[in-house]
Amino acid sequence: ETWRSLITLVLEADPRLVAGTCATTVVIGWWMLKPATKWVVPIEYTKEFGKEASISANEYTTLASIVDTFVPEVEFDAATEKQARAVAPDIPVKELAEFFQRSGSQMGVPREVALAMKSNLPAHSYAGLKLVFWLCSTRIGSFLLAGRITPFACLSRTTRERVLLGWGSSRLQAKRTFFTAVKGLSIATAYTLIGPDGKNVNWKALGFNGSGPKAKTSPPQIAITKVEAGTTLECDVVVVGSGAGGGVVAGQLAQQGFNVIVLEKGQYVPEGDMPLSEKAANVRMFDRAALLGSDDASIAILAGSVVGGGTTVNWCASFRTPGPVREEWAKQGLDLYTSPQYDKALDAVCERINVHTDGIQHGPHSR
């Protein structure tokens, strides 16, 4: 009855009043939805780059403002210098000052983050991230997501920090996922991005001079066959994956006399050809360039995508399964882990991969 009365009132009203009300509603809606960041689009954004990364100017502007919140330009005053000196007493003041005053945008991080997302994330995941970027470039979207009528890129850094921290601890999984994904990628890119000189601009302030010399190239220790359309191979057993699981299974079967073929989607990278920078190694040797993760982005999965899988990309910290862990597994019904058979399996593995403690020198992070 109330709705009927309202409709009757509208129909009987002055047409000019109705038209004015509708026009006002349209204008307000347009103003709330219209992206308001065009006047601050980063200068590095071009139409060509937008096509390459499949990202609009307003989406990219929001992304850049988020990156600069995670990797900000910080004033290097006396208090900041004192804190920095407490952990880096030997680094020159000039290097420390440049480190703190260097934002993500100044290093080209937003551009690399956009390209990495486009190249390595599933299409639906990238589309979801871009939707958030676009919404935050509008007044109504920023109001709904950040509680501010001002578009995200136009907020002060302090306010942007508060908003992002709120997303990181939000009850909504989508907000937590967004926070974790963009934060991790922004910070990782800031410290792995390599310049024309083959180094990262932050390395000097961190006291890092780069990786050591490459190992000498050696001939392949195993037969590698590139499988193409029409290729026919005969075998007794096909093992998919050459990592710690597939590689061991294939080796055991081959020792029993079976003709085994191991299929590996990753390429063969001999030791002498392994990249020594994190970014290059991530792209060449890790699944999805090290951007693989759980659906909610709460867990990063650094999975090797190369011949040898995880056994190729992981460092050689080898130790027997601790007794308390084995006992805990056994309590869950896995009696094998407290049996003599498992002890024999551990002996065989340690002998096969030559586990030893001779000549080990631990770095500062392992002491």
Side-chain angles (χ1 to χ4, degrees), residues 157-174:
R157 195 188 80 198
T158 302
T159 303
R160 297 200 309 266
E161 288 175 353
R162 274 200 297 267
V163 170
L164 291 176
L165 287 173
W167 291 357
S169 58
S170 173
R171 295 180 181 179
L172 299 177
Q173 177 183 313

Side-chain angles (χ1 to χ4, degrees), residues 5-337:
S5 300
L6 181 60
I7 293 173
T8 301
L9 180 63
V10 170
L11 292 176
E12 293 178 352
D14 188 334
R16 290 174 297 179
L17 176 61
V18 175
T21 301
C22 292
T24 302
T25 302
V26 170
V27 170
I28 293 176
W30 173 82
W31 182 79
M32 292 290 285
L33 286 172
K34 179 180 179 294
T37 57
K38 287 187 176 180
W39 61 86
V40 291
V41 173
I43 59 174
E44 71 270 15
Y45 183 88
T46 62
K47 291 183 178 180
E48 292 72 21
F49 169 74
K51 291 180 180 179
E52 181 183 3
S54 297
I55 191 169
S56 70
N58 290 297
E59 292 165 351
Y60 182 77
T61 302
T62 301
L63 169 61
S65 67
I66 293 175
V67 169
D68 285 343
T69 308
F70 287 126
V71 188
E73 177 182 352
V74 178
E75 182 181 358
F76 189 72
D77 53 19
T80 304
E81 181 180 356
K82 183 178 179 180
Q83 292 178 340
R85 282 287 174 218
V87 295
D90 301 326
I91 304 300
V93 175
K94 179 177 180 294
E95 299 296 343
L96 289 176
E98 291 178 352
F99 172 76
F100 279 95
Q101 295 170 352
R102 187 184 295 122
S103 69
S105 288
Q106 293 172 338
M107 291 183 278
V109 174
R111 177 184 177 86
E112 293 298 320
V113 168
L115 291 173
M117 289 178 174
K118 171 65 169 60
S119 301
N120 301 296
L121 292 181
H124 69 277
S125 297
Y126 187 40
L129 291 173
K130 289 198 299 178
L131 176 61
V132 175
F133 297 151
W134 177 79
L135 285 172
C136 286
S137 73
T138 67
R139 295 173 180 85
I140 190 171
S142 184
F143 177 74
L144 293 174
L145 295 176
R148 309 294 195 282
I149 198 67
T150 304
F152 187 89
C154 300
L155 298 172
S156 67
R157 195 188 80 198
T158 302
T159 303
R160 297 200 309 266
E161 288 175 353
R162 274 200 297 267
V163 170
L164 291 176
L165 287 173
W167 291 357
S169 58
S170 173
R171 295 180 181 179
L172 299 177
Q173 177 183 313
K175 285 188 174 182
R176 298 196 308 272
T177 298
F178 179 89
F179 174 85
T180 303
V182 182
K183 173 190 173 184
L185 189 52
S186 298
I187 295 176
T189 303
Y191 292 96
T192 61
L193 185 61
I194 300 300
D197 61 350
K199 297 183 179 182
N200 180 277
V201 292
N202 293 317
W203 283 357
K204 288 184 179 180
L206 302 176
F208 181 61
N209 296 320
S211 305
K214 281 190 174 184
K216 294 181 179 179
T217 302
S218 57
Q221 302 298 310
I222 54 178
I224 304 292
T225 300
K226 185 176 181 180
V227 179
E228 300 176 343
T231 301
T232 301
L233 300 172
E234 295 184 359
C235 63
D236 299 318
V237 181
V238 174
V239 177
V240 180
S242 62
V248 172
V249 169
Q252 293 294 310
L253 290 172
Q255 288 180 1
Q256 299 300 318
F258 291 96
N259 183 13
V260 182
I261 289 178
V262 179
L263 297 180
E264 171 59 55
K265 70 174 182 178
Q267 58 185 314
Y268 173 68
V269 183
E271 187 174 358
D273 293 338
M274 290 183 179
L276 296 184
S277 71
E278 290 175 85
K279 182 175 176 57
N282 288 346
V283 171
R284 188 175 183 187
M285 302 181 70
F286 284 83
D287 201 357
R288 289 190 188 169
L291 293 182
L292 182 65
S294 57
D295 288 339
D296 63 356
S298 61
I299 301 176
I301 305 174
L302 295 177
S305 183
V306 66
V307 173
T311 66
T312 299
V313 299
N314 291 324
W315 70 317
C316 298
S318 304
F319 54 90
R320 291 173 176 267
T321 312
V325 175
R326 295 173 60 178
E327 293 173 4
E328 180 181 349
W329 290 347
K331 290 179 182 178
Q332 302 299 321
L334 304 174
D335 297 332
L336 169 67
Y337 291 104

